[in-house]
Amino acid sequence: MSRTARTWIASVACVAAGSAAAQLATSAGPTPATDRMARLTVEAFADAPWVGRMSVHPEGDRVALGRVGPGSGTWYRVREMDTETGAVAERGVRTIPDPDSVAWDTEGSYAPPGSILVGGVHGIFAVSPRGAVSLAIPPSPWIDNPEDLRFDPRGDLIVASYSARALVRVDHRTGAQTPLQLFSAGILQFDVAADGSFRVIDPAGGVRAVGPDGENRGNAGSFDATGTAGR
């Protein structure tokens, strides 16, 4: 896969023959959103059962894979996929409890540079480039079973805490945990825009817009029950 194609990587999980296949959706270039969606091609690239959240490395050459199912009491190693070959390999010298969510800590803000941060049921762990596994952020009332992890433009880690029903910022300088927005139900996924604002998806398919400092910007759309149609 060329570097040009990798610039348009989108992580997609699909279920086929009882297992999840990690797939890459690529597009040729920066076209309007509707046109770009029409031109997307999906290529079955690598087989990785029970794919959870994915995090593409900034260099585009690898993707960290979280893992969901079959339950929160299960322990697994994090996996890494090579975007050139599709090879999937386990990372880390030991397993992590319920490693749903992942994010690359390329700057070394919470762990050795190049580590994969992993959200588990007992906090946020780190898998170093050498494979060492450590607890990067201990569990707290706000850091409880993270469902999604992403960095914002400030370099802070943002956590979608399912059990705490909150979007939480972890300051990369002080480690302080600040809830940005509370929700009526556990949140599953979110995205960070270039201006630091967020789009948060709740279990019912609602999408809420949240400002960089947690201000509620209201409803931003929704998905149907299948998660494939939005409005």
Side-chain angles (χ1 to χ4, degrees):
M1 180 178 294
S2 70
R3 184 166 296 276
T4 299
R6 287 202 301 269
T7 62
W8 282 105
I9 284 178
S11 297
V12 180
C14 76
V15 176
S19 67
Q23 297 193 349
L24 301 179
T26 62
S27 168
T31 59
T34 53
D35 185 45
R36 186 164 68 245
M37 288 301 293
R39 295 170 184 237
L40 281 175
T41 59
V42 178
E43 106 185 55
F45 191 64
D47 183 63
W50 299 101
V51 172
R53 305 291 175 253
M54 303 182 186
S55 180
V56 180
H57 192 277
E59 293 182 1
D61 59 345
R62 66 207 111 141
V63 180
L65 305 176
R67 183 161 184 152
V68 296
S72 60
T74 53
W75 294 58
Y76 294 103
R77 287 181 173 84
V78 169
R79 293 162 297 174
E80 183 179 309
M81 181 181 70
D82 187 306
T83 60
E84 291 287 354
T85 66
V88 177
E90 291 187 335
R91 287 276 306 274
V93 297
R94 65 180 178 87
T95 57
I96 293 171
D98 194 27
D100 292 336
S101 50
V102 289
W104 289 98
D105 188 1
T106 56
E107 300 298 322
S109 299
Y110 304 88
S115 295
I116 302 173
L117 298 180
V118 186
V121 294
H122 299 304
I124 297 175
F125 297 80
V127 180
S128 77
R130 293 180 175 270
V133 178
S134 60
L135 183 62
I137 302 173
S140 73
W142 295 119
I143 304 298
D144 186 14
N145 193 19
E147 285 288 337
D148 204 358
L149 305 174
R150 298 178 189 272
F151 282 89
D152 71 2
R154 306 179 188 182
D156 293 333
L157 184 68
I158 308 299
V159 181
S161 184
Y162 183 82
S163 299
R165 301 179 179 182
L167 191 68
V168 181
R169 168 176 283 127
V170 182
D171 191 289
H172 71 280
R173 295 159 299 186
T174 67
Q177 300 174 11
T178 305
L180 296 174
Q181 187 74 215
L182 301 178
F183 297 82
S184 60
I187 56 177
L188 299 176
Q189 298 183 60
F190 69 97
D191 197 14
V192 185
D195 65 355
S197 62
F198 309 96
R199 294 292 185 272
V200 183
I201 302 176
D202 64 31
V207 182
R208 185 185 298 184
V210 179
D213 294 309
E215 58 272 27
N216 186 355
R217 295 183 176 176
N219 182 44
S222 62
F223 291 92
D224 67 5
T226 67
T228 59
R231 58 183 185 272

